[in-house]
Amino acid sequence: MHTRRTLLAAAAVAGLALSPALAQQARTPITMWIGVTGPAQEEIMRYAQEFNASQTQFEAKVEFRGQYPEQRAAAFAAFRAGNPPHIMQMFDAGTGDMFALPRATIPVSEVMQRAGVQFDPAAFIGPARGYYSRPDGTMNSLPFNVSTAVMFINDDIFTKAGLDPSKPPRTWPEVIAAANQIRERNAAECGFTTTWLAWTMLEQYSAIHDLPLSTEANGRGGLNAVLNFNDAPRARMVQTLVDASRNKAFQYGGRSNDANALFVAGTCAMLIQSSGGHAAIARDLKAKFSVAPMPFWPDVIAEPKNSIVGGASLWVFNAPNRSAEELRGVAQFLAFLARPETYVRFAKATGFLPATNAAFQAMQAEGFFQQNAGRDVPILQLTRGTPTANSAGYRFGRWTEIRDMYHEEVERALQGQQTAQAALDNTVRRGNDALRQFERSVGAAN
């Protein structure tokens, strides 16, 4: 396959100029797989077009390969076959897999260094920098669509139910009381729902309550972590969902993002969702809405800790025949995406958080958060206080599968087939088996 430089050199020797079509063909292609939909996908596609128009050496090709779990499976299959994408948008749950398989990727710090592109990990907001970096400060992946979980409230339904939307519920007892009042007054078909059940009701819940998911600092300290989230506070959260589902104070909306539809349709009054869903809610909900922090149990923790990073980061895949020219193109495209102005545009258009300090400060300086009530809630919650070992994030292999184990077991509890405690006991047992299997597979792969 001819590279762009080979074609240009041949044309120069022959005294010819490349036609526009051939010049386009001569660009080195850079492929990126993404797993987001809606406004976020539209924005990323637009940035690729702008990058392509800004230079003539590389052509970024952005492809949607299904939502995060499906894309993750496709990318690993492509890596095993020797033809992965140059860049992949990996969601937070896959971070542990990527850290444990270093031969599969090239750290973004190294990619930038090889290409001679200036790159400073300290430019990124602390929670994102810490989550995607090694202890020595090497950044393994580029934070891009950074998010955390927040609670969206349908102001119109609250008013109809006799509740004050300007004083959203802060604690779980207040959420349940509001949901019951909404049902009693028939203001909506359901009180609250949640997307991404394991992410919100287990991972985020544990972080803000300063509760461990496992030993070894939530897996960040080594592969031999043992899951231990089957305690009374986590069991009570599951039992709360079970009890609230009886009168539809809570309505289960599925394992991923499907519950969003229950909120935008006006079926449910409250939604726990990624902050990255803000733009789609603003576009689709035919009512006023507010944004509030994640609720907490005051008898578990008096002042909640920070929530944890969600969303995804951009990883550079390794491959047997990957050239230095391709890596230069990868570095330049990532640098284009990491410009403060790009992060500001992305945050404004989607509801994801500005990933760098400069982008956040630019939005503050122009008064964006003052003019857009609620848009600062997720970043204030994410950066609240000093992270502890329990609120600094997690890194587990096969966590996508363990999430689904949690989903399966909690679904059985919601269906009355087992207790909330049994649901967590079974998840921990099955999850620890998966972690031990992962350790063996990593040892063989590396």
Side-chain angles (χ1 to χ4, degrees):
M1 179 178 177
H2 292 293
T3 66
R4 177 181 183 274
R5 290 181 177 178
T6 301
L7 286 166
L8 289 173
V13 169
L16 300 173
L18 288 175
S19 68
L22 189 55
Q24 181 73 13
Q25 181 184 353
R27 291 175 180 242
T28 300
I30 304 299
T31 303
M32 181 167 82
W33 289 3
I34 62 172
V36 288
T37 57
Q41 182 186 106
E42 294 165 8
E43 284 296 309
I44 295 173
M45 295 286 191
R46 189 173 296 117
Y47 303 152
Q49 293 171 0
E50 292 172 3
F51 172 74
N52 293 339
S54 72
Q55 45 74 52
T56 59
Q57 189 171 357
F58 306 104
E59 182 181 10
K61 299 180 178 181
V62 177
E63 301 176 13
F64 176 72
R65 291 297 183 103
Q67 293 196 29
Y68 292 135
E70 294 79 16
Q71 180 190 237
R72 169 184 171 273
F76 278 122
F79 170 73
R80 288 191 293 270
N83 59 347
H86 295 88
I87 305 167
M88 189 188 71
Q89 184 187 40
M90 173 68 83
F91 68 150
D92 56 315
T95 302
D97 294 324
M98 304 300 276
F99 265 80
L101 295 170
R103 71 183 185 88
T105 63
I106 307 172
V108 68
S109 291
E110 182 181 335
V111 172
M112 296 301 198
Q113 183 180 24
R114 285 197 210 176
V117 174
Q118 186 176 359
F119 182 72
D120 182 12
F124 294 85
I125 60 173
R129 181 175 68 251
Y131 193 62
Y132 297 117
S133 296
R134 299 176 183 174
D136 66 3
T138 298
M139 187 165 273
N140 273 19
S141 60
L142 184 81
F144 190 71
N145 51 312
V146 176
S147 71
T148 195
V150 293
M151 185 166 64
F152 292 91
I153 293 168
N154 186 314
D155 293 358
D156 294 355
I157 293 176
F158 259 53
T159 302
K160 184 179 178 182
L163 298 165
D164 185 353
S166 70
K167 299 177 181 178
R170 295 180 62 250
T171 68
W172 274 109
E174 290 172 356
V175 169
I176 299 304
N180 284 331
Q181 184 167 324
I182 287 162
R183 292 298 300 125
E184 289 163 4
R185 301 196 180 183
N186 201 29
E189 293 179 33
C190 102
F192 75 96
T193 188
T194 181
T195 60
W196 308 104
L197 187 74
W199 184 57
T200 61
M201 294 294 122
L202 177 61
E203 299 161 35
Q204 298 286 356
Y205 173 96
S206 298
I208 68 173
H209 290 88
D210 200 17
L211 297 170
L213 291 169
S214 76
T215 61
E216 298 295 334
N218 283 353
R220 297 188 313 278
L223 286 174
N224 57 335
V226 177
L227 301 176
N228 57 8
F229 52 76
N230 54 332
D231 57 5
R234 264 70 71 94
R236 178 173 65 172
M237 189 67 254
V238 176
Q239 187 62 51
T240 298
L241 300 180
V242 172
D243 294 342
S245 67
R246 295 192 178 106
N247 69 337
K248 293 190 74 175
F250 168 72
Q251 182 170 335
Y252 180 51
R255 300 178 180 184
S256 58
N257 201 44
D258 294 339
N260 196 75
L262 295 174
F263 184 72
V264 298
T267 302
C268 295
M270 293 173 278
L271 169 73
I272 296 177
Q273 163 69 307
S274 165
S275 57
H278 193 117
I281 289 171
R283 179 192 65 197
D284 299 334
L285 179 65
K286 308 305 181 187
K288 294 180 180 179
F289 70 94
S290 303
V291 185
M294 283 279 291
F296 65 100
W297 290 97
D299 59 343
V300 177
I301 192 165
E303 292 295 331
K305 300 295 183 183
N306 60 284
S307 57
I308 55 175
V309 167
S313 62
L314 305 180
W315 293 78
V316 180
F317 262 108
N318 205 354
N321 59 348
R322 198 126 287 171
S323 69
E325 185 177 9
E326 288 174 282
L327 288 182
R328 280 194 296 272
V330 167
Q332 290 191 26
F333 185 40
L334 291 179
F336 185 89
L337 294 175
R339 298 176 307 163
E341 57 265 38
T342 305
Y343 280 134
V344 167
R345 284 176 55 191
F346 190 72
K348 289 180 177 180
T350 63
F352 283 104
L353 309 182
T356 61
N357 296 310
F360 178 53
Q361 291 161 6
M363 294 176 73
Q364 283 183 312
E366 69 175 75
F368 177 82
F369 298 113
Q370 289 79 8
Q371 298 163 16
N372 295 271
R375 291 294 294 268
D376 60 346
V377 168
I379 196 161
L380 293 175
Q381 178 184 264
L382 185 65
T383 57
R384 181 171 56 195
T386 302
T388 69
N390 299 325
S391 68
Y394 60 85
R395 289 186 193 136
F396 301 114
R398 297 182 65 175
W399 189 249
T400 302
E401 297 166 52
I402 295 171
R403 273 184 173 178
D404 277 341
M405 293 172 189
Y406 175 86
H407 294 145
E408 290 168 8
E409 298 296 344
V410 171
E411 284 167 357
R412 291 182 61 203
L414 289 169
Q415 294 160 6
Q417 298 176 10
Q418 64 181 355
T419 66
Q421 186 63 58
L424 292 186
D425 289 344
N426 290 337
T427 305
V428 164
R429 173 183 52 78
R430 295 172 62 191
N432 281 323
D433 287 345
L435 290 181
R436 304 293 80 81
Q437 293 168 15
F438 180 73
E439 290 166 16
R440 292 191 289 272
S441 68
V442 167
N446 291 333

